[in-house]
Amino acid sequence: MVLEAIKKRQSVRSYREKEIPEEVLQQILEAGRLAPSASNQQGWKFIVVKEEILRKKLVPACKNQKFVGEAPVVIAGCATNLDHIMSNGEHSYPIDLAIALDHMSLEAASLGLGTCWIGAFYQDQVKEILGVPEDVRVVALMPVGYPKELGSKTGRKPLSEIVCYNKYRT
Ligand SMILES: Cc1cc2nc3c(=O)[nH]c(=O)nc-3n(C[C@H](O)[C@H](O)[C@H](O)COP(=O)(O)O)c2cc1C
């Protein structure tokens, strides 16, 4: 079941104007809410941007990626706890936010909606537009909507190239 949604998901860069029914949006957000996070801190806030004026303002802040303003909803994944560093030396917040947003994108795909990860944006501009406090970071944006056009599927490296067993092998 999960693999079905994983296979279905692809970046959508063209959206219909059609509104997302509230119960569908809530289901997508619920998938993010249930995501795991380091020490279960859930140091996140998801801004659901519906207002057209704000969505249009996000376009230049996203380096003129027009489809960001086309989608009826843009979710901004914000990290509220930037200080937590795990014993492995890694900050947990980008990982936590990525898992939650990925849960949402897979739930959206399973419901017939499209999403696209957006990492190409100006942090300061997006924070200003969405009123994000100084000590919070926007990790990624994610337009959500019904796809107008689907691009061609992207390829992936074969398992034989990316998996090794027992010890690291190049
Ligand atoms: C962290 C991250 C940031 C990304 N930023 C952008 C972006 O700013 N604009 C965009 O069009 N796609 C962006 N993408 C989408 C990738 O280009 C896309 O996922 C990749 O090419 C694989 O294609 P697929 O999503 O259709 O499978 C981003 C993806 C990730 C995971």
Side-chain angles (χ1 to χ4, degrees):
M1 289 287 273
V2 177
L3 195 59
E4 259 174 50
I6 289 171
K7 285 180 175 170
K8 197 169 172 199
R9 189 215 59 84
Q10 65 180 103
S11 292
V12 171
R13 299 185 176 91
S14 166
Y15 294 93
R16 289 160 60 194
E17 270 178 35
K18 186 179 164 170
E19 288 294 310
I20 304 174
E22 192 52 35
E23 63 275 17
V24 171
L25 180 58
Q26 290 303 317
Q27 208 169 316
I28 293 167
L29 295 169
E30 177 71 356
R33 188 182 76 85
L34 295 174
S37 60
S39 306
N40 199 24
Q41 287 192 4
Q42 303 162 72
W44 46 44
K45 179 80 86 179
F46 301 98
I47 309 175
V48 179
V49 187
K50 289 183 169 184
E51 269 182 33
E52 192 177 358
I53 297 172
L54 292 174
R55 289 189 286 106
K56 297 290 178 211
K57 279 189 183 170
L58 286 175
V59 173
C62 294
K63 303 180 138 188
N64 283 327
Q65 300 188 79
K66 300 263 182 305
F67 63 90
V68 173
E70 239 178 56
V73 164
V74 179
I75 297 172
C78 304
T80 58
N81 180 2
L82 307 180
D83 298 332
H84 186 244
I85 299 176
M86 300 176 288
S87 316
N88 64 5
E90 302 294 334
H91 275 101
S92 55
Y93 77 85
I95 301 172
D96 292 344
L97 265 293
I99 297 169
L101 287 168
D102 209 50
H103 272 44
M104 291 189 202
S105 75
L106 292 177
E107 182 60 18
S110 78
L111 294 168
L113 281 96
T115 57
C116 188
W117 278 87
I118 302 292
F121 62 85
Y122 302 109
Q123 180 75 216
D124 290 355
Q125 291 184 23
V126 169
K127 283 179 73 165
E128 169 78 28
I129 294 163
L130 302 180
V132 176
E134 187 89 2
D135 58 347
V136 171
R137 270 188 91 73
V138 181
V139 175
L141 299 174
M142 187 166 276
V144 187
Y146 291 95
K148 188 154 74 186
E149 282 164 35
L150 290 178
S152 44
K153 280 277 219 177
T154 51
R156 294 294 188 271
K157 294 175 182 176
L159 280 179
S160 57
E161 206 180 309
I162 60 170
V163 177
C164 55
Y165 293 90
N166 300 319
K167 293 247 182 180
Y168 191 92
R169 286 187 181 80
T170 49

